Amino acid sequence: MSLPLEGRTAIVTGAGRGLGRAEARELARLGAAVVVNDHGQPGRDGTGAASAGPAEEVAAGIRAAGGRAVAHTGDVADFAQAGGLVATAIAEFGSLDVLVNNAGILRDRMVFSMAEEEWDAVIRVHLKGHFNTVRHAAAHWRERAKATGAPVYGRIVNTSSEAFLAGSAGQPNYAAAKGGIVGLTTSSALALRKYGVTVNAICPRARTRMTEDVFAALAPPDDVLDPLAPEHVAPLVGYLASPSAAHVTGQLLVVHGGMVAVVERPRVAATFESKQETFTHDELDALLTGWFADRPPGETFAAAEVLGLRRG
């Protein structure tokens, strides 16, 4: 019996640690050859001995388990280097079939204290990094589809966050970037559908090096399986990358701790029409002020209830 991703090639960005590492291992377990991307160069370990670097360590682990993998240490937020990442997958394994965008950083601060550099850095890595890889992969798949006259096999899994859905007061840069990724996802899903490519986004909740300060107080006892382990997220990525998810596209899914929630699209709560050619201030005051006054206190467009999602 063949594996779901046997003969396929996948790229996972930010795969040297945490979520990306778990996702790369899962895709390899399902049969894919994996390009393990993690920005940085080989360095030294705690003893001062030479270290291969996290990307190569993950790739080596996949190879040791009988899979196929190579490391790539380029910066996905650099347009040319992101193109080189796509080229590496094709050169090493002959194709590109799956792209998982996971690379990211945090620079948390309240909006009134945030430095311009902290805003720019997070937007660059998360949002531009996602665009860069999606753009190069999409161009490759479009060219293949036009050359063969038939749809290709293409899967993109982008990483958003509950910080976008629920709002996160101390993360305006991160929440904005993750919201932008959802917009990129839905737009790309529409543009690439006819070429056979699906594009989805996940909002994972996991304990990783990037979130260790956020979730530190929630750590379970040593003998209890951590509900925030990245391994809870990886199976959904594997599913979305597989043939089984051929008709799943343009979707946003929350995943953690053995639970997956499909997020419904925004819906219009109310409409108001002017009785003349255009609204006046007084008319809007009469229509909207009372309507909002009757809404639950503190209710906004943010969906804070997603933070309460739990298995069972």
Side-chain angles (χ1 to χ4, degrees):
M1 181 176 177
S2 63
L3 297 170
L5 296 179
E6 187 172 337
R8 304 294 183 187
T9 300
I11 289 171
V12 183
T13 72
R17 301 177 179 87
L19 277 171
R21 176 173 60 192
E23 291 162 355
R25 289 172 173 172
E26 175 68 7
L27 294 176
R29 189 187 70 80
L30 295 177
V34 184
V35 180
V36 179
N37 166 264
D38 200 87
H39 183 38
Q41 299 299 324
R44 300 281 174 179
D45 63 19
T47 67
S51 170
E56 177 53 36
E57 288 171 2
V58 174
I62 290 173
R63 293 193 297 268
R68 297 184 298 156
V70 297
H72 182 276
T73 58
D75 179 6
V76 294
D78 180 282
F79 188 78
Q81 292 183 52
L85 174 59
V86 170
T88 295
I90 298 166
E92 291 286 340
F93 300 117
S95 68
L96 173 62
D97 306 287
V98 178
L99 169 63
V100 179
N101 280 311
N102 173 74
I105 62 171
L106 289 179
R107 298 290 186 271
D108 292 353
R109 204 174 301 277
M110 302 294 281
V111 68
F112 43 75
S113 302
M114 181 162 288
E116 181 182 9
E117 300 78 37
E118 292 168 327
W119 173 272
D120 289 347
V122 169
I123 297 297
R124 177 182 182 273
V125 175
H126 287 274
L127 186 53
K128 187 181 179 187
H130 271 63
F131 161 73
N132 286 344
T133 55
V134 168
R135 192 276 184 199
H136 288 294
H140 167 69
W141 285 324
R142 179 174 178 268
E143 290 172 5
R144 280 182 49 201
K146 292 179 70 174
T148 62
V152 301
Y153 187 103
R155 302 284 188 271
I156 298 175
V157 181
N158 290 328
T159 303
S160 183
S161 171
E162 291 169 298
F164 149 68
L165 286 170
S168 181
Q171 297 180 303
N173 48 4
Y174 183 72
K178 291 306 189 181
I181 286 167
V182 173
L184 173 66
T185 297
T186 55
S187 174
S188 300
L190 289 173
L192 298 177
R193 182 192 294 268
K194 66 180 180 180
Y195 301 116
V197 179
T198 68
V199 192
N200 294 287
I202 63 171
C203 294
R205 191 186 306 175
R207 193 188 315 282
T208 67
R209 189 178 65 159
M210 196 172 81
T211 62
E212 59 187 356
D213 292 337
V214 178
F215 296 131
L218 304 176
D222 290 340
D223 59 344
V224 176
L225 178 63
D226 190 349
L228 295 177
E231 286 72 20
H232 287 299
V233 176
L236 177 61
V237 172
Y239 165 75
L240 292 173
S242 75
S244 298
H247 300 293
V248 182
T249 192
Q251 302 298 320
L252 179 65
L253 304 98
V254 175
V255 54
H256 60 82
M259 182 217 71
V260 173
V262 180
V263 179
E264 191 173 28
R265 69 186 185 274
R267 295 185 179 275
V268 176
T271 58
F272 303 90
E273 296 181 1
S274 173
K275 292 182 178 179
Q276 54 275 332
E277 185 176 357
T278 189
F279 282 109
T280 65
H281 171 84
D282 289 343
E283 188 178 20
L284 288 171
D285 182 17
L287 291 170
L288 295 179
T289 302
W291 189 84
F292 279 108
D294 291 336
R295 305 294 290 174
E299 181 184 79
T300 70
F301 185 76
E305 61 271 19
V306 300
L307 299 179
L309 290 173
R310 297 290 189 277
R311 180 180 179 181

